[in-house]
Amino acid sequence: MAIAALVLGPAVSIAPASAVTVYSDCDELNADYPHGVGEPGAVDSTSGVPVTDFTVDQELYDANASGRDRDKDGIACEQH
């Protein structure tokens, strides 16, 4: 019986990891995220009006920050 319980125990399903979209450029990213995407706690580095309505998503930022966060403020492809 113990063996049957182990074999017939509750089924565990593991959901596949959700894929994060890697965009080819800022134009493509901004089509989905008009004000860019940033890390939690990021603050726009600007001498004008800062962008505050960017999407906060660490995984999406990490996948798209390379070459797209030129001022290294934690926000990729920010637009005013």
Side-chain angles (χ1 to χ4, degrees):
M1 287 289 191
I3 293 173
L6 288 175
V7 173
L8 300 174
V12 177
S13 69
I14 299 173
S18 60
V20 174
T21 302
V22 177
Y23 293 92
S24 62
D25 56 33
C26 282
D27 289 337
E28 190 177 294
L29 185 142
N30 289 141
D32 289 339
Y33 303 96
H35 302 285
V37 62
E39 301 178 290
V43 177
D44 188 20
S45 296
T46 181
S47 59
V49 178
V51 174
T52 58
D53 52 356
F54 58 89
T55 299
V56 176
D57 186 318
Q58 186 70 55
E59 285 183 293
L60 188 59
Y61 173 81
D62 289 345
N64 290 283
S66 180
R68 297 187 186 106
D69 184 7
R70 292 175 287 164
D71 56 3
K72 309 290 186 222
D73 60 0
I75 308 167
C77 301
E78 63 261 41
Q79 287 191 346
H80 298 273

